[in-house]
Amino acid sequence: MASYEKFKASIQQHEGGYQNIPTDWGNYNSLDELVGTNFGISARFYESVIGVPPTEQDMLNITQAEAHGLFKNEFWDKVLADHINSQEVAEMIADHAINSQPYKTTKIVQRVLNNKFGKRLKVDGLFGTKTLVAVNSVDFKQLFIEIGLARKVYYEARPDFNHHGKSWLRRLRLLSDKFNIIIKKKVA
């Protein structure tokens, strides 16, 4: 079974300390105040945790331990990653959940399982038992590759790809390198 403890190093590599980038919507709270992100925790997400629009000081006060607690509870656990047989697949899914929300990520995983592996899952964005069973029933390397390709398509279609695409694709490449699984489109 996959383990969040093994995933921590990857998250720390991708999600550094405090940043305050005006072109990154994740740096703004619901009042449209530029308050930054910290250890990969966006202002809007943190607002949902603390119940009020965070200030810049609130964002600066987030500790790495608090960020890991949030990543584990709000992303890793939402995609049932502890129950995924493959560490590689669990990290591919959880990493994308952190980067794009568990709901969006789960819909991508469900579509991949239906379209590439012949599963018949409801594409509802809810990572439940049926999705988990389907994830664990297919070849993990092929699933890792197909989810990676679907992530790439998802990123390239985003309107902010020109601003953030390079870092999103780098994140995907580093995950691929970590497990030595090449994500490359097959040519028929």
Side-chain angles (χ1 to χ4, degrees):
M1 294 292 175
S3 163
Y4 182 80
E5 287 302 311
K6 293 178 182 176
F7 182 47
K8 275 176 129 174
S10 292
I11 290 301
Q12 288 175 203
Q13 181 180 14
H14 299 305
E15 306 293 1
Y18 181 77
Q19 69 169 359
N20 194 324
I21 302 172
T23 59
D24 184 348
W25 67 268
N27 287 266
Y28 292 86
N29 64 23
S30 66
L31 302 175
D32 288 326
E33 297 169 332
L34 180 62
V35 296
T37 66
N38 201 358
F39 296 114
I41 304 298
S42 73
R44 291 275 176 108
F45 170 69
Y46 198 56
E47 185 169 330
S48 73
V49 172
I50 64 173
V52 296
T55 64
E56 185 173 4
Q57 192 59 52
D58 291 330
M59 299 307 295
L60 283 164
N61 288 341
I62 296 171
T63 65
Q64 192 169 58
E66 182 180 7
H68 277 299
L70 291 170
F71 288 143
K72 170 82 168 74
N73 295 330
E74 300 298 326
F75 301 99
W76 181 267
D77 290 349
K78 297 278 185 196
V79 296
L80 306 178
D82 281 334
H83 303 285
I84 295 173
N85 293 337
S86 162
Q87 184 73 29
E88 297 87 343
V89 171
E91 290 195 28
M92 174 62 79
I93 294 170
D95 182 69
H96 195 222
I98 289 168
N99 196 233
S100 299
Q101 301 175 11
Y103 174 80
K104 290 178 184 176
T105 300
T106 299
K107 286 180 91 169
I108 289 170
V109 171
Q110 290 166 333
R111 281 190 197 105
V112 164
L113 287 163
N114 289 345
N115 298 337
K116 301 295 182 179
F117 297 92
K119 302 300 178 182
R120 294 182 181 179
L121 298 169
K122 182 177 180 182
V123 181
D124 59 6
L126 303 175
F127 204 109
T129 303
K130 290 179 183 176
T131 301
L132 177 64
V133 168
V135 163
N136 285 335
S137 72
V138 299
D139 179 78
F140 81 91
K141 284 185 182 179
Q142 195 58 44
L143 183 57
F144 182 95
I145 291 166
E146 294 297 345
I147 294 171
L149 291 170
R151 274 179 77 169
K152 186 175 182 294
V153 168
Y154 170 80
Y155 290 144
E156 290 170 345
R158 291 188 46 124
D160 50 353
F161 182 77
N162 288 339
H163 288 291
H164 307 293
K166 194 173 186 177
S167 65
W168 294 334
L169 295 177
R170 179 179 180 274
R171 183 179 187 131
L172 188 56
R173 183 180 44 77
L174 289 172
L175 190 57
S176 175
D177 290 350
K178 175 182 179 179
F179 293 113
N180 199 26
I181 301 174
I182 299 169
I183 299 172
K184 191 161 82 171
K185 187 81 174 153
K186 293 176 278 195
V187 179

